Amino acid sequence: MSTLKDKQLTDITVEDLLISSEKVAHVQLNNPLEHALLVLVKSGYSAVPVLDPSYKLVGTIGKTVILNQILGLERFEFEKLSSMRVEEVMYTDIPCLSKNDTFLDALKAVIDSPFVCVSDAEGYFDGILTRRAILKQVSRDIYTKRQLTEK
Ligand code: AMP
């Protein structure tokens, strides 16, 4: 079996670069915004996936949208953090990949977002693909090709 290192970019699929669901920080639809903000601040991530109780992917939520929601005229209305739920403010119109999508599909998807969610045909969450993982492969490919032409 060939390792990722030996693969051409054209042979790499989303599955090869996936951060699998069990390693991905996420929040649930019905969590209060306070919990989502805690997850985001503690993990250091700007956004994380939102899952429903059956672990289907339903959206993403980030720090900026939460802070905008609680921004009043003169102060942050922190009390809203416990009364509002993730499903009220999350993004639902999100790009999504599947494990067997190609490297090119993945490259196009991460142009506009630092990460893209991956789910199966029934909508169950498989994990995420980051722009970092894609850029690492592109960099490796350029480096390898340069070494070959210098030989
Ligand atoms: P990175 O490529 O590590 O800079 O990650 C880019 C973005 O992908 C982060 O800001 C998060 O929104 C998301 N992300 C990366 N890794 C994880 C993870 N393990 N759990 C949740 N979100 C992640």
Side-chain angles (χ1 to χ4, degrees):
M1 206 178 81
S2 63
T3 65
L4 184 56
K5 204 159 67 64
D6 310 318
K7 282 194 180 178
Q8 297 286 322
L9 284 189
T10 45
D11 298 329
I12 293 175
T13 63
V14 166
E15 186 166 20
D16 293 319
L17 304 175
L18 186 75
I19 300 178
S20 59
S21 54
E22 60 276 12
K23 294 185 190 144
V24 177
H26 73 270
V27 295
Q28 298 265 332
L29 271 179
N30 59 354
N31 286 149
L33 289 190
E34 185 171 32
H35 176 76
L37 193 57
L38 269 171
V39 169
L40 289 162
V41 171
K42 282 202 157 190
S43 66
Y45 297 132
S46 46
V48 293
V50 180
L51 306 184
D52 76 6
S54 65
Y55 291 88
K56 284 189 175 177
L57 175 70
V58 285
T60 62
I61 189 163
K63 286 174 190 150
T64 311
V65 74
I66 296 178
L67 292 177
N68 263 324
Q69 279 296 322
I70 65 164
L71 184 61
L73 281 180
E74 292 186 349
R75 65 174 191 97
F76 283 108
E77 294 163 357
F78 287 108
E79 58 282 6
K80 283 190 177 166
L81 285 175
S82 52
S83 62
M84 293 184 74
R85 316 245 140 227
V86 165
E87 63 189 318
E88 296 173 59
V89 306
M90 67 184 188
Y91 293 114
T92 51
D93 185 16
I94 53 163
C96 191
L97 290 164
S98 65
K99 278 182 176 179
N100 46 16
D101 282 336
T102 66
F103 187 83
L104 185 58
D105 295 326
L107 177 63
K108 285 192 218 152
V110 298
I111 289 174
D112 291 325
S113 14
F115 76 98
V116 174
C117 294
V118 181
S119 63
D120 70 12
E122 278 89 51
Y124 289 103
F125 181 59
D126 281 327
I128 61 168
L129 180 79
T130 61
R131 188 185 283 159
R132 179 199 296 269
I134 293 288
L135 289 179
K136 257 171 87 175
Q137 292 309 312
V138 172
S139 153
R140 191 212 57 172
D141 188 67
I142 294 171
Y143 180 77
T144 314
K145 289 203 171 114
R146 197 172 61 194
Q147 283 203 319
L148 285 175
T149 55
E150 282 169 4
K151 272 185 188 165

